[in-house]
Amino acid sequence: MLNKMKRSVFDVEGVVVTIPYQNHNVHVYQLPSFPDDISPPEEGGFNLIRTVINLKLAKDQGYDERITTFDPPILLNVRYTYYDYQAAQEAEESLKLAFWNGSEWVIFDSKYDYHLIPDDPENRRLGGVGFAMISEWDDPHVAWGY
C-alpha cells in the first residue's frame, strides 16, 4: 500500500512543504512573520537577508495541537532569489537557509540533508531552491541569510 503524501504550496513565498503520512492528518498554517529587523546580525553566526515564511504544522482536527516530530521526515523546499544570492556574495559568504528556534537562528546543514540547488548550475546567482528534510521542528520562522 502506498503512503499518502500531502503538499502545501505557498507560491508568493516560494515555499513547498511535502508531508508523508504521519499516522494522523497534518495541516500546514501560515502565520504572520516577524519583521526582518527583529534579529540583529550575530557575530560569527547567521546574518539575516530576509524572512521567508512562518509555518505551524498541526493535527487537522485541532489548530492548537502542534506537531513537532515527523516520522518519516517532511521535506521543505524554499526558493532563493537573485537578491538573496547577491547579498551573500557581497558579504563574501555563502547563502544559507535557517529557522528560528525561539532564541537564535539555526542553519540547515547536513543534519537536515540540506542542499542548495540552483536553477541554472552555470549561473547560480539567478536563483534556485534550498531543500531540507526535517524530523523535529518547533518554531518555524524560515529565512535566508549568510
Side-chain angles (χ1 to χ4, degrees):
M1 179 169 97
L2 294 174
N3 287 334
K4 295 179 183 180
M5 302 275 274
K6 179 178 182 176
R7 291 182 71 214
S8 294
V9 179
F10 302 91
D11 287 325
V12 172
E13 296 78 8
V15 173
V16 177
V17 181
T18 305
I19 307 165
Y21 184 69
Q22 301 289 312
N23 293 322
H24 47 75
N25 290 324
V26 177
H27 188 78
V28 180
Y29 296 95
Q30 183 175 3
L31 303 175
S33 291
F34 51 68
D36 288 344
D37 62 357
I38 199 167
S39 174
E42 302 173 12
E43 282 191 40
F46 183 75
N47 294 287
L48 184 68
I49 294 171
R50 80 178 161 97
T51 302
V52 177
I53 198 165
N54 181 15
L55 299 173
K56 176 180 179 178
L57 282 70
K59 289 190 178 180
D60 270 345
Q61 62 263 36
Y63 173 80
D64 291 332
E65 194 168 347
R66 183 180 294 220
I67 302 168
T68 59
T69 58
F70 308 97
D71 184 21
I74 64 173
L75 175 62
L76 177 69
N77 303 350
V78 182
R79 291 211 50 82
Y80 70 88
T81 67
Y82 164 83
Y83 301 102
D84 299 327
Y85 189 84
Q86 191 64 31
Q89 291 297 298
E90 287 173 4
E92 299 181 3
E93 297 286 343
S94 59
L95 183 63
K96 297 177 182 149
L97 186 64
F99 66 94
W100 183 254
N101 73 0
S103 60
E104 66 182 349
W105 288 104
V106 176
I107 297 169
F108 286 104
D109 58 17
S110 61
K111 172 183 173 186
Y112 299 96
D113 196 21
Y114 173 72
H115 298 280
L116 190 65
I117 310 294
D119 291 335
D120 178 358
E122 299 299 318
N123 198 353
R124 299 178 67 84
R125 66 184 170 90
L126 293 179
V129 180
F131 296 88
M133 299 293 290
I134 301 167
S135 297
E136 294 183 14
W137 194 29
D138 187 26
D139 194 313
H141 284 273
V142 177
W144 287 110
Y146 55 87

